[in-house]
């Protein structure tokens, strides 16, 4: 799976629309992931999972930051997220299936706040991008 | 048998009562074919699927999308016995249509995104949970008679 020039344009475009709300998108993505796929909470036993949790907010910001980093270096996502990839492989070891779940929830959040911008073409590009990010983060697992 | 809480049933029906089945069905199937182009393999007889524009405008895609989402409606009417509702369709998808059940999961995810874009803030996390459960149960029921 390769990101075409069109995909890269689409992804940069939608993230430009998201702009300064990326942190909020990150938080809402996590909230929805924990609510929709309760098994994902097993990676955060130490988290306060109540609504408005400071920990979820902080972590949502981290996730958003990583996605933005990937967008800003979309020609070399593996390079941009190399340290994060090491972290996931050596320390966090989140099962690969969960990156799809996170990606799905991010798409839902974008659909809710930017329905008009999430055309089928942009949806396809964003889905590909999120897959690529997940692949990079699990690339060094074994 | 799947257990549905009263809240889950309410969240599902309240959204469903406002769904335009023809529009949402058409959109969901079109997005499936666009976002996961390999799914087009099942629709060689549908004519022009050469671009997102062609897919979205394709009348066979629209009609089939409506058919598929209408069948979801049957599941919602029979939440307490989805398995029975889909017995014949499961056999059909296995024996005649030869559809890999993974495709039911892909379509389910797309339906969720289409609902999110239409209902926006009304598609709360609790709603998403209930609907995710529904699409998973439907996918499972459709795969149940595979052999």
């Amino acid at each position: 799976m390769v990101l075409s020039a069109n995909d890269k344009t689409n992804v940069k475009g939608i993230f430009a629309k998201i702009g300064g709300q990326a942190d909020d998108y990150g938080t809402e993505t996590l909230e929805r992931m924990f609510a929709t796929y309760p098994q994902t909470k097993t990676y955060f036993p130490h988290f306060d999972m109540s609504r408005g949790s400071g920990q979820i907010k902080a972590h949502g910001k981290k996730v958003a930051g990583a996605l933005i980093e990937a967008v800003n270096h979309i020609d070399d996502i593996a390079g941009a997220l190399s340290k994060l990839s090491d972290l996931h492989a050596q320390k966090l070891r989140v099962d690969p299936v969960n990156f799809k779940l996170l990606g799905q929830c991010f798409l839902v959040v974008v659909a809710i706040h930017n329905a008009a911008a999430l055309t089928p073409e942009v949806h396809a590009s964003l889905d590909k991008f999120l897959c690529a990010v997940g692949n990079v983060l699990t690339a060094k697992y074994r | 048998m799947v257990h549905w809480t009263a809240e889950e049933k309410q969240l599902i029906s309240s959204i469903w009562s406002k769904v335009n089945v023809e529009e949402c069905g058409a959109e969901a199937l079109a997005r499936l074919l666009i976002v996961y182009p390999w799914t087009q393999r099942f629709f060689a007889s549908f004519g022009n699927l050469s671009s997102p524009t062609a897919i979205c405008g394709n009348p066979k895609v629209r009609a089939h999308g409506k058919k598929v989402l209408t069948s979801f409606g049957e599941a919602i009417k029979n939440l307490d016995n989805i398995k029975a509702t889909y017995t014949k369709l499961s056999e059909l998808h296995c024996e005649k249509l030869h559809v890999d059940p993974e495709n039911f999961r892909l379509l389910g995810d797309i339906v969720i995104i289409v609902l999110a874009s239409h209902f926006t803030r009304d598609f709360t996390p609790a709603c998403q949970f209930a609907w995710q459960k529904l699409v998973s149960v439907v996918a499972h029921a459709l795969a149940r008679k595979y052999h």
Side-chain angles (χ1 to χ4, degrees):
Chain A
M1 184 203 54
V2 167
L3 294 177
S4 68
N6 256 5
D7 289 327
K8 293 176 187 179
T9 304
N10 286 338
V11 171
K12 283 182 184 284
I14 193 86
F15 269 84
K17 288 214 165 65
I18 293 171
Q21 296 171 303
D23 289 353
D24 290 338
Y25 278 42
T27 303
E28 192 179 343
T29 295
L30 289 179
E31 282 172 348
R32 284 182 179 272
M33 189 183 72
F34 294 142
T36 308
Y37 310 106
Q39 68 271 24
T40 56
K41 293 188 290 186
T42 58
Y43 292 97
F44 302 92
H46 52 297
F47 263 32
D48 164 19
M49 288 296 181
S50 54
R51 274 229 89 196
S53 152
Q55 285 171 308
I56 298 186
K57 246 183 128 178
H59 200 67
K61 194 173 170 183
K62 267 195 209 164
V63 169
L67 289 177
I68 288 171
E69 192 66 6
V71 175
N72 290 340
H73 298 90
I74 205 164
D75 291 323
D76 181 19
I77 297 177
L81 300 187
S82 179
K83 290 224 159 31
L84 213 48
S85 179
D86 291 338
L87 180 73
H88 281 77
Q90 291 154 18
K91 190 149 170 279
L92 304 177
R93 292 171 293 183
V94 172
D95 191 286
V97 71
N98 294 287
F99 296 98
K100 269 182 128 184
L101 306 183
L102 182 75
Q104 169 72 2
C105 289
F106 185 76
L107 283 166
V108 166
V109 172
V110 173
I112 285 172
H113 297 283
N114 282 283
L118 195 69
T119 61
E121 295 93 324
V122 170
H123 177 172
S125 299
L126 192 50
D127 191 272
K128 277 172 85 173
F129 167 74
L130 293 166
C131 275
V133 169
N135 286 344
V136 163
L137 291 177
T138 57
K140 302 176 199 176
Y141 271 32
R142 56 176 172 170
Chain B
M1 209 195 72
V2 183
H3 173 73
W4 301 94
T5 65
E7 199 206 354
E8 286 163 2
K9 288 187 177 185
Q10 195 271 326
L11 288 168
I12 290 170
S13 339
S14 93
I15 291 277
W16 186 250
S17 66
K18 301 181 199 117
V19 167
N20 179 328
V21 174
E22 181 162 0
E23 280 310 314
C24 282
E27 193 183 340
L29 187 62
R31 281 181 187 259
L32 180 75
L33 298 173
I34 292 164
V35 177
Y36 309 113
W38 55 93
T39 57
Q40 292 171 26
R41 71 190 296 286
F42 301 108
F43 301 101
S45 65
F46 273 28
N48 188 3
L49 298 178
S50 60
S51 70
T53 312
I55 291 171
C56 289
N58 185 312
K60 286 188 172 176
V61 170
R62 294 188 65 86
H64 196 68
K66 179 182 176 184
K67 201 181 194 183
V68 169
L69 204 63
T70 299
S71 131
F72 258 84
E74 286 306 302
I76 293 171
K77 274 192 235 158
N78 296 287
L79 283 176
D80 292 324
N81 202 354
I82 292 183
K83 276 199 295 219
T85 307
Y86 280 107
T87 300
K88 287 253 157 343
L89 271 176
S90 181
E91 288 164 359
L92 178 76
H93 281 78
C94 170
E95 292 159 14
K96 292 259 148 41
L97 305 177
H98 310 294
V99 176
D100 178 349
E102 179 59 22
N103 293 284
F104 309 140
R105 289 176 259 286
L106 290 179
L107 182 63
D109 282 351
I110 297 266
V111 167
I112 299 270
I113 289 170
V114 169
L115 291 177
S117 70
H118 282 253
F119 290 94
T120 63
R121 274 168 190 77
D122 286 345
F123 198 66
T124 62
C127 249
Q128 188 179 347
F129 175 84
W131 273 87
Q132 182 59 53
K133 186 171 167 180
L134 175 65
V135 303
S136 298
V137 169
V138 168
H140 189 260
L142 276 169
R144 199 166 151 265
K145 287 306 198 178
Y146 272 56
H147 56 91

